[in-house]
Amino acid sequence: MSLLHLAIVLPFLAAVFIPFLFKGLKSIHTGWFVLLVPLFLFIYFIQYLPVTGDGETVTKTFEWIPSLGINFIAHVDGLGLLFAMLITGIGALVVLYSIYYLAKEKEALHNFYVYLLMFMGAMLGVVLSDNLIVLYMFWEFTSISSFLLIGYWYDRERSRYGAQKSMLITVFGGLSMLGGIVLLYLMGGTFSIQELIGLSDVLITDPLFVPALLLILLGAFTKSAQFPFHIWLPDAMEAPTPVSAYLHSATMVKAGIYLVARMSPVFAESGLWLWLVAGFGIFTLFWGSFNAVKQTDLKALLAYSTISQLGLIMSLLGVGAAALHYDYLDDNIYMIATIAAVFHLINHATFKGSLFMMAGIVDHETGTRDIRKLGGLVNLMPITFTIAIIGSFSMAGLPPFNGFLSKEMFLTGMLSVLELDLFNLSTWGVLFPVIAWIASVFTFVYSIKLVFKTFLGKPQFDKLPKKPHEAPIGMLISPLVLITLVVVFGFFPNLLSNSLIKPAVEAILPSLVESGQEVDVHIYFWHGFQPELFMTLGIILFGIVLYSTLAKWQGVYNRIPERFTLNGLYDRGLSGSESGGYRLTSGVMTGFMRTYLVYIFSFFVAILMSTLIIKQGFVYDTSGLAAIKSYEVILALVLVAGAVTILFAKSRLTSIVALGVVGYSVALFFVLFRAPDLALTQLVIETVTVALFLLCFYHLPEISRKEERMRFRFGNAVLSVLVGITITLIAMSAFSQRSSESISQYHIDNVYELAAGGNMVNVILVDFRGFDTLFEICVLGVAALGIYAMIRYRSARSENE
Amino acid sequence: MRKTNDLILQTVTKVISFIIILFSIHLFFAGHYTPGGGFIGGLMTAAALVLLLLAYDIKTLDNILPFDYKLMTAAGLLIAVLTAAGSLLFNVPFFTHAYDYFDLPLLGETSLHTAVLFDIGVYMVVIGITMTIIQTIGESE
């Protein structure tokens, strides 16, 4: 196990000590100890920057289950390192923020930090694992720890609802991803992503390629809250704000983005991948931004905004996949989409993290997150306001912040779709820039709404539960650091170009790098008068118009009734499947033995009859039959008469006697067919059985002893006749086609020679096949003890009562 | 309840039951060569005991034959298993029987067969379970 492996599992190891620190050192906020972990890891990962900057990768293998090809392979390349830096860097800031956000007296901090560290380790494992099974393991770890964190305030109903919802959706996606992984293994014979990338030309011709692609994408879409799986994210806002800032803006929701980026080299040759990723991404972008505008809760607004921005990144990754098809071009314009995706990924993590922290501060200091109650906080909370306005403007894509740069590149990427001439993009591709532009307008509207409604406008402090004031400095440090990064990346975007973005792009598009294409990341502030600049101007213009007329067109949101929203569908689907499952079981499991017997016999008939018919097994051959003698016929008639009497007898006593008749006729049959041992035993046993039946009859309660004919049920009659026919047909067929000679000649020959006996039946019972007899007498012993226990323990119990 | 006089039944039982038991022993020993054996012999012996039960009552039978029939079942099972396992001592597979001819006093030359031991186990188990069941049901009201 190398140092790199230790770094990945360090959060898990540290989590073990958290409860002891919490109980042992009560005076110090546990978060301070936790803070050391991401800080240390961040510093540790910085040293890999020069390595990946040179295009090198680091791979360390730790053998886990080598016989199954499952090894913990840590693989650091540009993409993994970018995510690792985000996870540890923002992780450190979030832990710092949470120290001031969560009071050490009131909260169960040991739970919180254990979950958070579990999550951090799991996330590092996802982004740094090369083995798909190990990646899946960490992937589910993120789902579980996210579930625990959302349900952190488990006494609240909404928290439990949100946790359950996110669990169901992400685990659904995770499991389908596992299916995709297994399919990939079947196709490629390896779990290693790097080896699969090398095999991508072979994989695309495999019939399992499309199912694997769909399943993997399903996993990525559910995790990254893409349409229509985005519904869990707004409900996950019941988590504490540090969790929302960390998991649901900066890291976990980007696990799906990571997966798409990571698997791009494997799948991106396919047009289906391009269409699905770009299409779902762009629609999510629009849907998220459209819905964000109507939200009145700060965190819900940010949640929809996150959904929308994730869609933006996703669509860029999809369009970026087109770059693979143009590797002969000198100036690969589609590569800009991938560069924009990576750049926006970083930008989104910075401004969304700070905005969530801002929302948390507002919540913490005023007691509410409802936009309708807030307003006019600018004078009371100037620092928070600064954070909010920079974050929002960056989110809206306004200069001079980093969001502007990535939004410009996004528009460039979308416009480049127009020039694509593959996979029918030339006809429908025009939709991409149009939807992107509309969505950007809505993005502008909700960004403005976020700031203006919260901090500007009329103060209405009487509606607030608390008297608002500026947050303590400790709570402001983390958002300030992030917002500084927003500004710094805005002014000096090329700080990141060679160290982070270029290696990440090379990792997403490795085949381009192999073909000698130079990844040239140079982010310009000023493009000149390009179409995207005019688009941005249009966004601002239309955004302002839409925002000022918000009150007039807000009614459009109420047009869709709650039942037909995706949430309504989810809720009804969940309760529907519960009640449907209940109805199914209560319909099938009636609790009546007779129903189950009907099931058993129906299946018996259906299976045997269909086998007989399909295999054409019915044969009737009379050659082996013996001649029928008259007394056999008479005895058979007696037996049938007895059996029929049982069915139609009025009283139970008659039935019992008729059963005796059947038994004694069978004994007589044994006599006729020369089986004296059987006849003896049958006579005695039949006597005992009839005596026991009479005993039962004697003890029946009065009401059931009244004479009553068995009721006729047509279904039962048909079924019993069918069972009889089935058995008869099978018996006849079996008799007509014996496959081998009987072994009885051996017994006849050897009964005296080997076993010194004359009664062959008895010799078989005690000697040739004595084993059977041994356990049959065991059965008898158990039956006797069972009867003894049932009767004695019943009376012992009734005496006690 | 009126006390009935079942003198005839009791007297007949005294004679008949011995005959039945003798017949059952005959069935048991004859089993290896003619119809019969441990199972039917055991049932027949149990029938004689049931006849005693019918003529007298449970307590009387208990005084005449103070057996714990559950123990008898267990002993029968033990004999059967030990007979089967005994073959392991002679390095032959489980459940291998052996027989030979011996010149016994009184009986003269007789063949002795370990299968008879096994049959004794069966015999005891059958008597034991039949009597356990009948006694248990009879004693419960």
Side-chain angles (χ1 to χ4, degrees):
Chain A
M1 186 169 264
S2 67
L3 203 57
L4 184 58
H5 288 104
L6 278 178
I8 293 172
V9 296
L10 177 69
F12 289 104
L13 299 177
V16 175
F17 298 101
I18 295 304
F20 299 109
L21 290 170
F22 178 72
K23 300 276 184 198
L25 295 163
K26 277 197 182 305
S27 53
I28 307 170
H29 195 289
T30 317
W32 291 112
F33 303 110
V34 179
L35 184 59
L36 297 174
V37 176
L39 264 185
F40 169 78
L41 287 175
F42 187 71
I43 294 163
Y44 174 78
F45 282 117
I46 282 179
Q47 60 158 332
Y48 281 98
L49 272 180
V51 181
T52 56
D54 293 342
E56 305 286 320
T57 58
V58 179
T59 308
K60 295 268 165 63
T61 306
F62 172 71
E63 294 207 333
W64 183 21
I65 316 174
S67 57
L68 297 178
I70 299 172
N71 295 313
F72 187 4
I73 304 172
H75 179 81
V76 183
D77 61 359
L79 186 65
L81 186 65
L82 166 68
F83 272 91
M85 305 275 292
L86 276 181
I87 292 159
T88 50
I90 296 186
L93 294 173
V94 162
V95 171
L96 180 66
Y97 176 76
S98 71
I99 291 172
Y100 291 92
Y101 189 82
L102 296 170
K104 72 167 181 276
E105 295 82 14
K106 281 186 273 180
E107 303 285 352
L109 289 176
H110 48 322
N111 292 351
F112 181 80
Y113 285 115
V114 167
Y115 302 159
L116 197 72
L117 281 174
M118 262 172 70
F119 172 78
M120 194 182 291
M123 210 50 217
L124 280 177
V126 167
V127 299
L128 294 177
S129 294
D130 184 52
N131 190 292
L132 279 168
I133 293 290
V134 177
L135 187 147
Y136 171 73
M137 179 187 80
F138 284 117
W139 184 277
E140 291 298 358
F141 259 128
T142 65
S143 293
I144 293 166
S145 51
S146 159
F147 168 77
L148 291 168
L149 282 167
I150 296 169
Y152 174 64
W153 286 310
Y154 49 79
D155 44 355
R156 296 184 190 171
E157 203 267 332
R158 293 297 303 170
S159 293
R160 298 197 301 272
Y161 172 79
Q164 187 205 32
K165 194 177 194 177
S166 72
M167 184 76 167
L168 285 176
I169 293 178
T170 54
V171 168
F172 161 72
L175 285 174
S176 55
M177 186 181 118
L178 179 64
I181 291 171
V182 172
L183 289 184
L184 277 177
Y185 180 76
L186 289 179
M187 290 188 283
T190 174
F191 283 123
S192 162
I193 300 173
Q194 296 306 317
E195 288 173 29
L196 284 171
I197 289 173
L199 293 169
S200 63
D201 324 341
V202 189
L203 295 183
I204 196 165
T205 56
D206 200 290
L208 293 176
F209 179 80
V210 173
L213 185 155
L214 293 176
L215 288 171
I216 296 267
L217 269 190
L218 202 57
F221 283 178
T222 50
K223 198 76 164 180
S224 274
Q226 298 297 296
F227 186 88
F229 306 110
H230 65 274
I231 48 174
W232 65 268
L233 190 59
D235 282 305
M237 289 302 128
E238 294 300 321
T241 304
V243 173
S244 310
Y246 189 37
L247 272 68
H248 307 129
S249 71
T251 51
M252 185 179 92
V253 288
K254 296 209 170 92
I257 304 270
Y258 167 79
L259 192 72
V260 169
R262 181 54 92 198
M263 302 307 281
S264 270
V266 182
F267 291 115
E269 289 286 336
S270 152
L272 187 65
W273 173 271
L274 193 157
W275 265 108
L276 284 177
V277 176
F280 273 94
I282 200 92
F283 190 73
T284 309
L285 165 66
F286 164 73
W287 191 250
S289 62
F290 177 68
N291 276 298
V293 177
K294 78 166 175 184
Q295 305 301 324
T296 54
D297 180 272
L298 276 182
K299 277 174 83 176
L301 192 152
L302 287 173
Y304 275 103
S305 137
T306 303
I307 293 166
S308 139
Q309 305 276 319
L310 291 171
L312 186 153
I313 301 173
M314 200 64 98
S315 67
L316 280 172
L317 283 175
V319 173
L324 289 172
H325 300 272
Y326 287 90
D327 50 9
Y328 52 87
L329 286 179
D330 280 340
D331 184 20
N332 198 322
I333 52 166
Y334 306 107
M335 201 188 283
I336 203 163
T338 311
I339 296 170
V342 175
F343 189 41
H344 196 73
L345 183 86
I346 303 169
N347 295 343
H348 178 250
T350 55
F351 67 70
K352 194 50 68 68
S354 65
L355 282 176
F356 266 109
M357 291 175 185
M358 178 280 292
I361 291 170
V362 170
D363 186 18
H364 207 265
E365 303 307 332
T366 64
T368 183
R369 298 193 310 247
D370 195 328
I371 279 183
R372 288 166 297 190
K373 294 182 188 163
L374 294 167
L377 292 173
V378 60
N379 293 323
L380 292 167
M381 307 169 82
I383 304 175
T384 318
F385 170 70
T386 315
I387 294 165
I389 198 155
I390 295 177
S392 301
F393 279 11
S394 176
M395 182 157 74
L398 297 180
F401 307 112
N402 58 4
F404 170 71
L405 301 168
S406 46
K407 183 65 68 80
E408 292 283 280
M409 289 166 76
F410 164 63
L411 293 173
T412 315
M414 288 299 132
L415 284 173
S416 70
V417 173
L418 294 177
E419 295 161 34
L420 280 176
D421 53 0
L422 66 164
F423 311 132
N424 298 329
L425 275 173
S426 46
T427 37
W428 292 100
V430 69
L431 278 175
F432 280 90
V434 172
I435 297 178
W437 186 82
I438 297 172
S440 300
V441 173
F442 281 112
T443 307
F444 183 85
V445 174
Y446 71 70
S447 302
I448 298 301
K449 180 180 171 180
L450 178 70
V451 184
F452 282 31
K453 296 267 178 173
T454 313
F455 290 98
L456 302 175
K458 216 168 31 197
Q460 37 187 351
F461 298 141
D462 47 323
K463 283 191 187 169
L464 297 178
K466 282 185 185 173
K467 194 168 156 40
H469 57 81
E470 186 58 274
I473 183 70
M475 212 187 257
L476 290 168
I477 294 174
S478 301
L480 280 176
V481 170
L482 286 173
I483 225 70
T484 315
L485 289 177
V486 170
V487 178
V488 169
F489 293 161
F491 280 108
F492 309 103
N494 290 315
L495 271 181
L496 299 172
S497 308
N498 283 322
S499 54
L500 274 177
I501 297 175
K502 183 166 165 270
V505 173
E506 282 171 350
I508 298 173
L509 304 169
S511 60
L512 286 187
V513 182
E514 273 166 31
S515 67
Q517 189 93 31
E518 187 68 29
V519 178
D520 179 27
V521 180
H522 195 74
I523 301 160
Y524 302 96
F525 217 100
W526 177 251
H527 305 259
F529 291 102
Q530 295 293 320
E532 41 269 41
L533 183 69
F534 296 112
M535 282 171 88
T536 304
L537 287 175
I539 288 167
I540 296 171
L541 202 68
F542 271 88
I544 290 171
V545 172
L546 274 183
Y547 178 71
S548 50
T549 57
L550 190 61
K552 285 178 189 146
W553 58 274
Q554 216 164 15
V556 78
Y557 287 110
N558 304 325
R559 289 289 170 87
I560 310 164
E562 181 62 30
R563 296 187 44 176
F564 295 108
T565 59
L566 283 167
N567 265 322
L569 274 180
Y570 165 84
D571 288 338
R572 276 190 303 152
L574 199 62
S575 62
S577 61
E578 274 171 11
S579 62
Y582 176 75
R583 269 205 303 279
L584 182 71
T585 42
S586 58
V588 174
M589 314 284 249
T590 55
F592 291 113
M593 195 59 94
R594 55 169 182 259
T595 327
Y596 303 145
L597 285 176
V598 166
Y599 298 155
I600 292 170
F601 284 126
S602 315
F603 273 93
F604 176 84
V605 170
I607 289 169
L608 290 181
M609 279 298 211
S610 54
T611 312
L612 208 57
I613 292 166
I614 292 167
K615 296 280 177 193
Q616 296 180 334
F618 182 72
V619 178
Y620 183 63
D621 178 16
T622 54
S623 60
L625 291 180
I628 300 172
K629 299 200 180 75
S630 57
Y631 41 82
E632 290 166 8
V633 176
I634 297 167
L635 201 53
L637 287 177
V638 172
L639 198 146
V640 168
V644 172
T645 316
I646 297 173
L647 285 179
F648 295 100
K650 215 167 160 189
S651 100
R652 288 171 203 255
L653 209 54
T654 321
S655 292
I656 293 171
V657 173
L659 188 66
V661 170
V662 171
Y664 287 128
S665 347
V666 170
L668 281 181
F669 263 117
F670 287 146
V671 172
L672 285 183
F673 293 141
R674 281 168 287 170
D677 292 271
L678 290 182
L680 275 173
T681 316
Q682 171 70 18
L683 277 174
V684 182
I685 289 295
E686 191 59 39
T687 314
V688 173
T689 321
V690 170
L692 287 176
F693 270 122
L694 288 172
L695 184 79
C696 293
F697 176 76
Y698 179 74
H699 284 289
L700 279 179
E702 276 304 317
I703 191 159
S704 341
R705 280 168 81 175
K706 73 174 187 305
E707 300 201 338
E708 189 186 16
R709 192 158 282 157
M710 198 161 64
R711 246 188 299 158
F712 181 78
R713 283 200 183 82
F714 182 73
N716 289 0
V718 168
L719 193 60
S720 58
V721 168
L722 278 175
V723 169
I725 290 174
T726 311
I727 298 284
T728 312
L729 288 181
I730 289 175
M732 288 199 310
S733 310
F735 187 80
S736 302
Q737 40 190 348
R738 290 200 172 194
S739 55
S740 57
E741 283 302 305
S742 164
I743 58 162
S744 57
Q745 195 56 44
Y746 172 83
H747 292 137
I748 295 168
D749 293 344
N750 291 301
V751 65
Y752 193 80
E753 299 292 311
L754 292 179
N759 179 353
M760 204 175 79
V761 174
N762 204 30
V763 167
I764 290 174
L765 282 180
V766 299
D767 199 339
F768 287 137
R769 307 199 50 181
F771 233 125
D772 296 347
T773 313
L774 180 62
F775 287 100
E776 272 154 24
I777 59 175
C778 286
V779 168
L780 290 177
V782 170
L785 283 182
I787 290 170
Y788 180 79
M790 278 198 294
I791 289 175
R792 282 300 163 89
Y793 277 92
R794 185 195 58 184
S795 46
R797 233 185 1 243
S798 55
E799 271 163 31
N800 286 343
E801 287 163 4
Chain B
M1 202 174 137
R2 198 163 58 90
K3 182 102 176 111
T4 54
N5 191 348
D6 41 9
L7 184 67
I8 295 176
L9 176 64
Q10 292 185 348
T11 313
V12 169
T13 304
K14 277 175 193 162
V15 181
I16 291 284
S17 57
F18 283 104
I19 298 173
I20 300 177
I21 289 179
L22 271 178
F23 179 58
S24 75
I25 291 173
H26 166 74
L27 275 178
F28 170 73
F29 278 112
H32 219 55
Y33 291 95
T34 54
F39 195 82
I40 190 69
L43 277 177
M44 208 53 94
T45 312
L49 299 179
V50 171
L51 190 60
L52 283 171
L53 266 179
L54 289 175
Y56 301 94
D57 54 26
I58 287 181
K59 282 224 177 68
T60 319
L61 188 69
D62 218 26
N63 285 333
I64 305 170
L65 297 167
F67 289 135
D68 183 343
Y69 291 103
K70 296 189 293 300
L71 283 183
M72 188 187 257
T73 314
L77 280 174
L78 201 63
I79 289 171
V81 172
L82 286 181
T83 309
S87 60
L88 294 176
L89 290 177
F90 301 97
N91 256 341
V92 284
F94 190 69
F95 236 119
T96 309
H97 285 303
Y99 68 93
D100 210 342
Y101 296 91
F102 294 94
D103 202 8
L104 295 176
L106 285 175
L107 295 170
E109 182 171 329
T110 318
S111 80
L112 290 184
H113 200 307
T114 49
V116 177
L117 283 175
F118 182 72
D119 239 5
I120 289 176
V122 176
Y123 181 74
M124 287 171 71
V125 170
V126 172
I127 297 177
I129 62 121
T130 318
M131 293 311 290
T132 309
I133 293 172
I134 288 172
Q135 268 190 347
T136 315
I137 294 177
E139 278 175 7
S140 76
E141 62 277 12

